[in-house]
Amino acid sequence: MRLTGLCFASILLSASLYAETVIINAEDDWAPFSSMTRNKQGIEGLSPSLVSAAFHTQGIEVKFNPVPFARCLYEVERGKAVACFDTSITEENKNKYIWHKTPLFEEGLSIFALSDSKDKNLTVKDLEGKTVSITHGYSYPNVLMDNKKIIRDESPFDDTQLKKILLKRVQYGVINTTPGTLMINANRNYKGKIKIVGLVETSVFYLNFSKSHKDGQRMADIFEKGMQEIKTNGTYKKIERDFKEKNGLNNQ
């Protein structure tokens, strides 16, 4: 097959757009921030959009490996994967990983209860002596996890927390605001029956990079440069705006 000079130049240009490819572990079940597509062929949400955009500014192509969050963390800690998202920094994990400086995004960690509850504006202190559901393998703030007066009940998924609230197996559930609200609005069994009654904190999420992987520190540094660039050039705001519009979150 013969290639014209223009065609050959185009191939070289396409090949040189990305000098390197990195594979990042992506949480597979945390819509709308990071979850498997319906056809199970990829990952979608705010996080992969931001991660791709940040790395692309530095000439890095990103491929995602969708995995459950517990495995996401485990593989990074063991050096089997270079990074994972979405992770908040806690006392328990702050020294396990390499962290970039610029947060990926912020998100409320809300307290949910039955809609007939008279509770409002609850804080962690108000959960003492109560049965509170959390999701197994997720990162929660120390203010919640270190309080021995709170009776914690572990659930495999956020959706399981909502089911337990509805069945009165727990008094409260602790779920991030946006995923929890969207799950309630999308399910007629939950809508109008479960509501937000308080806030644990506003959580800050990052990629956690591996200390054991040979490219951990290098990729963390590259990603930080990319995050700063998309914050400066307007890409971050555009991705965030498109995300809110797609999920009906423009009033948040």
Side-chain angles (χ1 to χ4, degrees):
M1 180 177 69
R2 296 178 60 189
L3 296 175
T4 66
L6 180 60
C7 181
F8 184 67
S10 297
I11 292 173
L12 287 178
L13 178 61
S14 297
S16 64
L17 283 176
Y18 301 112
E20 188 176 355
T21 299
V22 63
I23 300 174
I24 303 290
N25 274 10
E27 185 173 2
D28 67 354
D29 189 32
W30 198 42
F33 296 111
S34 178
S35 61
M36 289 282 285
T37 55
R38 288 191 176 186
N39 63 9
K40 307 296 183 183
Q41 298 300 307
I43 202 80
E44 64 182 359
L46 177 64
S47 300
S49 296
L50 292 173
V51 172
S52 292
F55 272 118
H56 284 180
T57 66
Q58 305 302 303
I60 305 290
E61 181 182 10
V62 185
K63 293 184 178 180
F64 297 111
N65 178 37
V67 291
F69 189 61
R71 179 178 166 190
C72 197
L73 296 176
Y74 174 82
E75 291 189 351
V76 172
E77 186 175 353
R78 297 289 179 172
K80 295 181 179 180
V82 68
C84 160
F85 59 81
D86 305 285
T87 313
S88 55
I89 302 174
T90 67
E91 285 297 319
E92 190 272 334
N93 71 16
K94 68 178 183 180
N95 295 318
K96 285 184 178 181
Y97 309 109
I98 299 166
W99 304 96
H100 53 98
K101 182 179 179 181
T102 305
L104 197 57
F105 63 89
E106 296 182 358
E107 165 71 6
L109 182 61
S110 290
I111 302 167
F112 289 79
L114 288 172
S115 291
D116 60 8
S117 171
K118 292 181 171 58
D119 293 327
K120 60 181 180 179
N121 301 322
L122 297 187
T123 66
V124 172
K125 185 71 175 176
D126 298 308
L127 300 179
E128 293 179 356
K130 310 296 184 182
T131 304
V132 180
S133 186
I134 60 174
T135 299
H136 176 74
Y138 279 16
S139 301
Y140 290 96
N142 290 87
V143 67
L144 176 67
M145 300 305 288
D146 291 346
N147 192 324
K148 305 302 182 184
K149 295 180 181 180
I150 297 172
I151 305 167
R152 290 190 297 275
D153 173 276
E154 288 200 354
S155 298
F157 307 105
D158 285 346
D159 183 69
T160 311
Q161 288 199 47
L162 297 177
K163 289 177 181 176
K164 288 181 178 180
I165 293 171
L166 203 59
L167 295 171
K168 299 184 179 180
R169 290 175 55 187
V170 298
Q171 292 163 283
Y172 302 102
V174 176
I175 306 173
N176 286 104
T177 309
T178 302
T181 300
L182 291 178
M183 280 191 290
I184 290 169
N185 290 339
N187 190 322
R188 64 182 182 180
N189 293 320
Y190 301 152
K191 194 171 185 179
K193 298 176 182 178
I194 301 174
K195 67 179 181 181
I196 293 173
V197 295
L199 183 71
V200 173
E201 69 166 18
T202 298
S203 302
V204 184
F205 290 92
Y206 301 83
L207 272 72
N208 54 304
F209 287 84
S210 177
K211 287 187 173 182
S212 304
H213 194 286
K214 63 182 179 65
D215 291 322
Q217 185 65 64
R218 183 172 68 89
M219 284 297 167
D221 293 341
I222 290 173
F223 182 70
E224 174 58 26
K225 290 179 182 177
M227 281 297 295
Q228 291 181 20
E229 185 160 339
I230 65 172
K231 284 273 191 174
T232 301
N233 67 17
T235 300
Y236 187 100
K237 285 187 176 180
K238 182 182 185 307
I239 292 173
E240 186 178 46
R241 183 171 61 249
D242 291 346
F243 165 76
K244 288 183 176 181
E245 183 176 334
K246 177 182 177 181
N247 291 283
L249 303 170
N250 287 324
N251 60 338
Q252 293 190 17

